[in-house]
Each structure stands twice: as C-alpha cells, then as structure tokens.
Amino acid sequence: MKVSTEWLSDYISLDNVVAEELAEQITRSGIEIDSVEKRSPGVSQVVVGYVKSKEKHPDADKLNVCIIDAGLGEDLQIVCGAKNVDAGQKVPVALVGAKLPGGLEIKKAKLRGVASQGMICSAKELGLNEKFVPKEQQEGILVLPENTEIGVPINGVLGLDDKVLDFDLTPNRSDCLSMLGAAYEVGAILGREVKIPEPEKKLIEVSEAASNHVSVHIKAPELCNHYAVRYFSHVKIAPSPQWMQNRLAAAGVRPINNIVDITNYVMMEYGQPLHAFDADQIAGGSIGVRQAVEGETLVTLDGQERKLEAGALLITDGENKPVGLAGVMGGLNSEVTGDTVNIILESAHFDGGSVRKTSRQLGLRSEASLRFEKEVDPNRVIPALNRAASLIAQYAGGAVHQGIVEAVIKTLEEKKITLSLAKLNGYLGTDISMLEVKAIFTRLNFESAERQGEIEVLVPSRRGDITRDVDLIEEIARLYGYANIPTTAIEGPTTAGSYTREQFLRRSLRTLLTHGGWQEVISYSFTYESSVGLFPTLSEGSRAVKLAMPMSEDRSVLRTSTLPQLIDIAAYNRNRKQENLSVFEIGSVFWTDEDKLTRQPRELPVLGFLLTGLRQEKQWNIQAEKVDFFDLKGAIESVTEYLGLHDKVFYEADCPEGFHPGRSASIYLKAGEDKVRIGVLGQMHPNLQRDKDLEDTYVAELLLEPLYQHAVSNIEYSELPRFPSVERDIAVVVDSGVEAGALIQAIQATAGELLTAIQVFDVFTGSKLGENKKSVAISMVYRHKDRTLTEEDITTVHDRVLEVLEQTFAAELRK
C-alpha cells in the first residue's frame, strides 16, 4: 500500500514530521516501510504557462512557434514540435535555467533560425511514470486543467513535492489497505487526533427516490451479506480534478475519468471497493447477486472473455445476465463510457474466500479483489458509498437520488474483549499501569472501560485481526515500544543440544556412503503422475497424493518412490556424457490409502540407490569392468553391516514391477519371529532402460524406519580368537532354482556357533551337471572359542551339514 503523506495530512496533522523519521517509527511499531519515495524526480524552474498563440515554423513543417504567458510579466517565444500543442492551453513550461530529470538543463536556443526561450514539457520529460498518466496525456505535451493558475511552480500543481510511504503489509493488517487505516495507525504512533470525512453533511439529494430506478436482491446470502447502491442522473463524464489525479498516481492507480477515478479514490481512502454501472445498460434497473452456473461467460472491462466456473459470484441485471464479477472486475456490457448519463454505484460486502477463488481461477487480480480477499471492514459499505456520492455530485455534476437501495442479510455484532492487567504485564515482563493501557487504547481509537483490574475493549470493525486478549497485548506492546520492554535473562533448566537417533543415523549413513565413493543427490518431493506406476511402493495398497494446486504437470503429485527421479537424474547425466554414476538419496516418500484425502498422508524416510556404467575404467593393463547386481548388493550390505544388522537382513529372489525378471530381489529384516519387507534391489527392466536410453542400470530402495528401529546402538567388541580355525570347502549340485542364500541359511542353522564364516565362491552350470542343475561352491570356517577343534568335531558337524543339504535341497556333493 502506497501512502501519500500529502493525502495523509487530510486526516491527521503531520506538522514537524519528517517522512523518513515517520517511516522509521512505523517500522518500529510493527509495519515495515519498504521505502520513502519522492514523487519529484528533480524538477526545478518549471511553471504553468498559457499558450496565447501558435504559428507554423517558417522553415520546418513539424515545428510550431508558440507565444507563452508564464506569469513573468513578458511573454516567451518557444519552439515546440508536439502535435497536440494549441492556443488556449495551460501547459508546463521549463524556463531558461530549468533542470529536468536525467540532468537536462534548459538553455536559450535557436531552432531553424527561430529563437526559443524554454521548453513546453511532456509528462515523460517531467519524469512522471507514464503508467500512471491518463492515456490521452501519454503522447505529446502535458495539457493542464483550464483552472490552473498561470506562473505557479509545476511541482505544486502535479503534487511532485509529495513523499510516498510504501507499507509492506502482512495479511492480517488489511485495515491499512486504506488511507483512513493508515491514518489511524499513524495517529496511534504519533498520539494525534484522526479526522474522518463526513460526506453525509455535504450530500444534497434530489427529491426523486433512487428506488424508483433500481432494485436489489441477493440470491447467494452466504457469499454476500450486504449490497447497497445509489442512483445518479445527468452525470457528465470528464477528467477528474488534478489533485485527485495526483493522489491516485501517488497510490499507483492510473486516472481514467471522473467517475472511475472517484470510485478508485474512495476505495484507496476507505478500503471499500466500489463499482459504477451505466444504469441504462442494466436491464430492468434490477441488480442481483448470484452464483454462476457451469459454462457461463462474461467479457470483463479488459476486453477478455472469461469462462466462469460454477459457483463464481456474479452481479446480474434484471434479465439475470452477468454484468460483473463480484469483487473482481466489472463487465464490459455495463461499462461507464463517455456517453454515460445515469449511473448505479455499488458498495457491498462479499465473502473474501469466494473472491479469492474466482480471482485465482481466472488469473485476474485487481485492487478490489486484493481488498476483498483480505476482508474489508463491513461497516464501511455505506460511508464509502456516501463519500463517493458527494464527490460525484461535486465533480461530475450528478444528481444524487434520494435514499440508498440495499439488501442486508446480517449485521456485524460488536466485538468486546476483556484483558487482565496482570496477564498483560506477565506476558511482557513489564509494569505498565492501567492509566497507560487506557491511554494506548485511546490512541488506537478503541473504546475501553476499566473493571476491577481488567479492561474491557470494544474492538472497531476495521480491526478484524484482533480476536483475543493476546492480540490486544500485542497492540499495547508495539505502541508502548519494544525498546521500552526490559530485557530479562533466560531462566530455567537448559538442555544441551543433540541429534535425535534418526538424525544421527541419517548423517552417519550419508558419511558412510560418500566415503565409499557414492554421490548424494537431492530431488523434488513433487513429481509427475506417470512416474508413480514405474515402480511399486513398499506399502501394499498405497496411493499417490495429488496436489490441489501443482506448480506444473511435472510437479503434480507427491512421490511414492525416489527411484523414478534417480533414473531421470541418470538420464540427464548420460545426455551430458556422464555415464558412470553411483548416486544415492536420503529423502521422504508419501503414501495414502484413501481415494480422496481426508487425513495427513504417511511420510516415510527412504534410502534410494542408482548404479550404472563402469566399475573400473579401461587402463593399459586393466580391462574395463561394468557394474553389476552384486556391486549394488555390496553397498546395501555395507549399510546393514554398519548398523549392526547384517545377520538380520536377508534377500529373496523377486520380480517387482519395473525390475529385470531374473536380476532382482526383495530385502527382508528379521524382527523377532517375523520378517519385514524393507526394500527392493535389482536391474531396471530392459524395456524401461530402453525408454530412458540407459545402459544396464541397477537401483534399490530401502525403508529407513525399520533400520533405525533395529540398528545396534552400541558397538560390541569381542576378543581376538586364541584357537586356530579350520576351513572346509564343498561344492554341491542342486536344482538351478535353489537360491544360494537358502543353502547358506540351512548351513548356518545346522553348524551353529562353530561356524564363524561362510561364503559362496563359485557357481557353475554346464551340460555335464545335467539339465536345470548348477554347482554351488561354498567355503566354511569352523572355530571353537575355548579349545582347538579335533578332526572328529569337524567331521561330525560337516557331515551333518551335508546331510541337511541332501534332505532339504536334494543336494549332491560334486565329485
């Protein structure tokens, strides 16, 4: 909100107040002032001149020789090339010696042999922002109103001596989206009285009633609780007075004509948006408020046809035809034009949520919608309407018809809040007296009454942000002065900061993997909807969470797996000749079991891996080696070993969706008597690799919560073995479908504590073994912690192992 200090001084005395110092005081009181802008860009010795005559230049078709009365006692001769210059105009004249923006200094000159004693200026040459200059004044010289006094400095005429405070408002301070709201705020800070306009005293109405020409009805009472109009006849559309144009420009609003400018002026003054309709374009003189039906359209004032969604709040005429988007923008079919004679002026209180929804759906934001979205003061509907009526009567020659035509669904109830003085001082750590508290509420223009150590406050309707006693405490604190609140030392027990168990383990895993040659990546939690089906989630029956307002189609759902994004990262790198990748991500995935979300989705931490390219680059004495399934499995084993879970984690061959049917597995964790599926690993399916233009790529994903829960908290040490070990190797022939992991589990269960190490060191298939057969070579290490094993001990255990393998898997010892 841009607040003109010249405009602000209409409501509150700013004598002996420096704008920059005021900005600092306002900032210290809770509303940040982004900047203090000077409207004058450095203009001096420019005055109002009168063009007495205009003649063609004798030697130039595009130049004119003008005689100017600039109030100096003698006329000036100025050569001007503007197309719109003409005799009888009041114009800004830069005298000899004048300085203009950009360092331009005006000197005596001759143009094609004719002397020129100054320059007639355009708005741009005076440094005015053309965005806030009426369209008809944007080209050529600036033509001033006829009643402008000759010889006066242009700075005063155009309000260039003004300074503008840029209020950076938080959403709760919508009361300061108006000049009156800013005046109340500044008045409270400075302790000065605020003078409010009283348009009713100046308003003169004609005898004919407005209700003879217009009627009002509301068909959406839940979205509009008050709608009021006034009727005007015989208005004359013309430019608004210069002072009003100056103030609108300072507020960042471009002047258009007197009617539109008055509605904008009152909106900036009261914070209450208004809208003027051409009454002759409103069928039946009937104004209605209803919700749109599916498929309705409206051409708005900007000339764009808007397709309306069902439920959008509309203003309609007697034929139920839309003539405006309530609180957002009027319709082109009821626009006030130069031919308008009769006007219906609207002032209403629309539901902020409805206006916000319509504005967002159509991508159409206006000064009016900005205010309705943040909830305007419902008690300013009528005062703003009367203020605009008095200005229209004064500056548009309109006859104000008697009475206000309105529909009122409900009126606002008074809001009273009781504040305890003890609670106030307890919260702030102060010793503020009741007298000081009452003085602060007086400065805020809040009515208050003291009752036995408590104060009851009647909160004005303009301050919708104040709903509880703590809000009143905040008001007192900021006006009492935060600098005046004493500083107290922190008391009470202190606790040393530390990581949670999950934070510590997550950081430890990150360090482990990066030291192991892996690179960490961080991707968006939002992804595209088609990626959800690439890989199954680790939770059966879970669904993706769709975003209500996605930033783009590529970021429209919450991810259910990190793998699709890791694959996209691999493709991105491959397209840039980075083909050898070993990356991981520790992040969250999101699941829900609902078709329509009604509760918070589950957010689970996961660890994702991707491995592709070469394990070893080709060198003069070493062949290049591609990564494979076991490189990825080794990385996962390093994680489980680090967490002390190596003996609790096992793998089972599996074929999840998105994985190679013969090179993938599920990962399980032994949790007591149960087993929990905690992840998947394997090679991407060849079809998916081809779609993504990738070579053999291996991916894995682990749920971290089970690992955090079962990870070994303390490092366990064991003494070095004092007795020798004995190693035995066997090669057994089994069916090709038998997993080596199953053989190892059976051997571990049979050999018991004597078996200290076991490893598969060879797998062989061939025609000599028979169809669908394979040979698995396993190395086993036996050791007793208290004595040296005898040959008999080893043979007994070893024979039992072979017997179990034969009985369980029909294994034959390879000869």
Side-chain angles (χ1 to χ4, degrees), residues 570-581 617 693:
Y572 180 89
N573 279 269
R574 179 176 171 81
N575 292 339
R576 287 153 182 80
K577 306 303 181 184
Q578 299 295 326
E579 300 182 352
N580 303 328
L581 289 178
E617 295 276 3
D693 194 24

Side-chain angles (χ1 to χ4, degrees), residues 598-638:
T598 61
R599 61 179 183 270
Q600 193 80 0
R602 292 186 67 194
E603 179 179 353
L604 297 176
V606 297
L607 170 58
F609 293 90
L610 182 140
L611 190 62
T612 188
L614 299 178
R615 178 193 313 123
Q616 174 65 56
E617 295 276 3
K618 183 178 180 181
Q619 298 183 24
W620 69 273
N621 62 340
I622 301 176
Q623 292 296 319
E625 297 179 0
K626 289 186 176 182
V627 297
D628 59 23
F629 175 90
F630 296 101
D631 290 300
L632 180 59
K633 183 170 179 284
I636 295 172
E637 288 178 342
S638 70

Side-chain angles (χ1 to χ4, degrees), residues 272-529:
Q272 170 65 44
L274 306 173
H275 184 69
F277 299 96
D278 186 327
D280 297 326
Q281 304 303 319
I282 302 297
S286 177
I287 295 284
V289 183
R290 67 168 173 85
Q291 291 179 274
V293 296
E294 193 69 39
E296 276 192 285
T297 61
L298 173 67
V299 179
T300 46
L301 288 172
D302 56 4
Q304 299 292 317
E305 184 178 52
R306 310 284 180 176
K307 186 176 180 180
L308 309 176
E309 292 194 10
L313 196 60
L314 296 178
I315 308 302
T316 61
D317 62 9
E319 298 175 352
N320 209 29
K321 180 179 63 179
V323 294
L325 282 170
V328 181
M329 187 175 285
L332 193 63
N333 54 5
S334 59
E335 178 187 18
V336 172
T337 67
D339 299 324
T340 297
V341 176
N342 303 313
I343 285 175
I344 297 173
L345 185 64
E346 162 201 282
S347 182
H349 186 261
F350 301 120
D351 176 70
S354 173
V355 173
R356 183 185 304 110
K357 184 178 180 182
T358 301
S359 175
R360 183 173 295 173
Q361 286 172 347
L362 299 177
L364 183 62
R365 285 186 67 95
S366 62
E367 289 287 345
S369 68
L370 170 68
R371 284 161 174 78
F372 278 121
E373 285 175 16
K374 292 177 170 52
E375 298 293 349
V376 298
D377 181 355
N379 283 341
R380 284 186 179 166
V381 171
I382 299 304
L385 187 59
N386 288 333
R387 171 67 161 158
S390 67
L391 291 173
I392 289 174
Q394 186 175 359
Y395 296 107
V400 185
H401 286 239
Q402 188 177 34
I404 294 173
V405 182
E406 61 182 328
V408 181
I409 304 301
K410 67 176 182 179
T411 56
L412 188 69
E413 296 180 359
E414 287 187 338
K415 183 166 48 179
K416 292 184 179 180
I417 301 175
T418 301
L419 173 63
S420 161
L421 188 63
K423 183 175 182 179
L424 165 68
N425 286 317
Y427 267 51
L428 298 183
T430 54
D431 190 21
I432 303 176
S433 67
M434 182 62 75
L435 184 63
E436 290 176 293
V437 171
K438 292 179 69 175
I440 289 174
F441 285 135
T442 300
R443 288 163 57 189
L444 285 165
N445 279 271
F446 290 7
E447 294 182 22
S448 62
E450 179 186 353
R451 288 188 178 87
Q452 298 179 347
E454 295 183 334
I455 186 166
E456 187 178 71
V457 179
L458 177 62
V459 180
S461 57
R462 60 187 167 84
R463 292 301 302 272
D465 59 309
I466 297 177
T467 58
R468 302 171 298 167
D469 57 356
V470 289
D471 298 324
L472 293 176
I473 292 174
E474 182 181 2
E475 291 297 298
I476 293 169
R478 67 188 190 87
L479 290 179
Y480 181 73
Y482 294 119
N484 297 324
I485 297 175
T487 302
T488 55
I490 297 175
E491 296 180 358
T494 58
T495 303
S498 64
Y499 291 140
T500 64
R501 175 180 169 83
E502 290 77 11
Q503 288 172 329
F504 173 76
L505 291 175
R506 184 166 63 247
R507 284 164 172 77
S508 299
L509 290 180
R510 184 177 288 120
T511 301
L512 172 73
L513 292 170
T514 52
H515 287 181
W518 291 78
Q519 290 182 306
E520 184 179 15
V521 297
I522 299 174
S523 57
Y524 281 106
S525 294
F526 308 141
T527 186
Y528 47 96
E529 192 168 359

Side-chain angles (χ1 to χ4, degrees), residues 150 185 289 555 636 689:
I150 298 173
E185 181 70 14
V289 183
R555 303 279 182 262
I636 295 172
Q689 286 182 170

Side-chain angles (χ1 to χ4, degrees), residues 178-192:
S178 67
M179 292 301 301
L180 290 179
Y184 278 119
E185 181 70 14
V186 173
I189 293 169
L190 299 180
R192 298 185 181 184

Side-chain angles (χ1 to χ4, degrees), residues 66-138:
C66 302
I67 303 301
I68 305 294
D69 177 4
L72 302 177
E74 59 180 28
D75 294 339
L76 303 176
Q77 178 177 282
I78 297 177
V79 178
C80 178
K83 294 180 180 179
N84 66 326
V85 67
D86 205 353
Q89 294 175 337
K90 300 282 183 68
V91 294
V93 176
L95 305 175
V96 174
K99 292 184 178 179
L100 299 178
L104 179 63
E105 185 174 348
I106 304 303
K107 300 178 180 178
K108 288 184 179 180
K110 281 190 176 182
L111 299 176
R112 295 287 183 94
V114 176
S116 182
Q117 299 169 297
M119 183 174 77
I120 304 175
C121 301
S122 66
K124 185 176 182 180
E125 288 164 339
L126 292 173
L128 300 180
N129 188 337
E130 291 188 349
K131 181 180 178 181
F132 305 125
V133 174
K135 284 186 177 180
E136 62 273 13
Q137 299 275 36
Q138 290 179 1

Side-chain angles (χ1 to χ4, degrees), residues 5 8 12-23 25 163 165 186 190 192:
T5 54
L8 188 64
I12 182 171
S13 171
L14 295 180
D15 293 345
N16 303 316
V17 175
V18 178
E20 288 75 13
E21 293 177 359
L22 176 61
Q25 287 180 278
K163 290 186 177 180
L165 308 180
V186 173
L190 299 180
R192 298 185 181 184

